[in-house]
Amino acid sequence: MFELGVIEFWHWWVLALLLIGVEIFAPGFIFVWLAAAAAVVGLIVLVLPDLSWQLQLLAFGILSVASAIGWWQFGRRNPSPSDRPQLNRRAEAYIGRVFVLEEAVENGYGVVTVDDSRWRASAESDIATGARVRVVGVDGTILKVEPT
């Protein structure tokens, strides 16, 4: 029979396995750190079997938060390289490409057609309709262009 006052090491290991199972079905890479914390608390209880359940829960909470924050910090310092770094920054992917100006750049702004969409373009000087322009930068959703 299970009593709250008596939590043994294997209880923590079962919890760790259950949390790994949750991670499999609800991936988010957070439950794995809770599982690791539960496994470590299980090891601590194996070494110190008289540890009170309150201290066990405290250790689990501290280790859970510490491991999750530690992984988050590691991920921020060591970002994984991407084969498509501009995936969610579509305009930046156009830098360096050459397009034909659909509407002349007058007073600093015009329109360029990129594939099947129209983009607002800006340039330092006026450029006539039909001119070829190269994208040299991006300002939000406005392509900065210069004549080629």
Side-chain angles (χ1 to χ4, degrees), residues 94-138:
Y94 298 139
I95 295 175
R97 289 185 57 188
V98 176
F99 301 105
V100 175
L101 205 57
E102 185 175 313
E103 293 180 18
V105 175
E106 295 174 349
N107 299 322
Y109 294 98
V111 175
V112 67
T113 299
V114 178
D115 300 327
D116 63 345
S117 59
R118 294 168 42 107
W119 287 75
R120 192 160 188 207
S122 71
E124 293 181 6
S125 60
D126 290 349
I127 306 171
T129 301
R132 295 173 55 83
V133 292
R134 179 181 315 278
V135 179
V136 294
V138 175

Side-chain angles (χ1 to χ4, degrees), residues 16-32 35:
L17 289 174
L18 290 173
L19 288 168
I20 288 172
V22 170
E23 181 68 41
I24 290 170
F25 293 107
F29 216 59
I30 188 68
F31 293 105
V32 71

Side-chain angles (χ1 to χ4, degrees), residues 45-107:
V45 173
L46 182 63
V47 173
L48 303 169
D50 294 332
L51 195 64
S52 70
W53 66 268
Q54 295 93 341
L55 287 177
Q56 292 178 37
L57 290 178
L58 180 64
F60 175 69
I62 290 171
L63 288 171
S64 296
V65 170
S67 62
I69 290 175
W71 177 250
W72 180 70
Q73 289 290 333
F74 176 80
R76 286 188 53 155
R77 289 190 189 109
N78 304 302
S80 59
S82 171
D83 60 339
R84 298 179 66 188
Q86 286 115 2
L87 179 63
N88 292 322
R89 298 182 307 219
R90 190 169 120 189
E92 290 180 19
Y94 298 139
I95 295 175
R97 289 185 57 188
V98 176
F99 301 105
V100 175
L101 205 57
E102 185 175 313
E103 293 180 18
V105 175
E106 295 174 349
N107 299 322

Side-chain angles (χ1 to χ4, degrees), residues 9 12-13 15-16 19 33-43 60 63-64:
F9 70 93
W12 289 107
W13 290 349
L15 177 62
L19 288 168
W33 302 112
L34 300 177
V40 169
V41 172
L43 286 174
F60 175 69
L63 288 171
S64 296

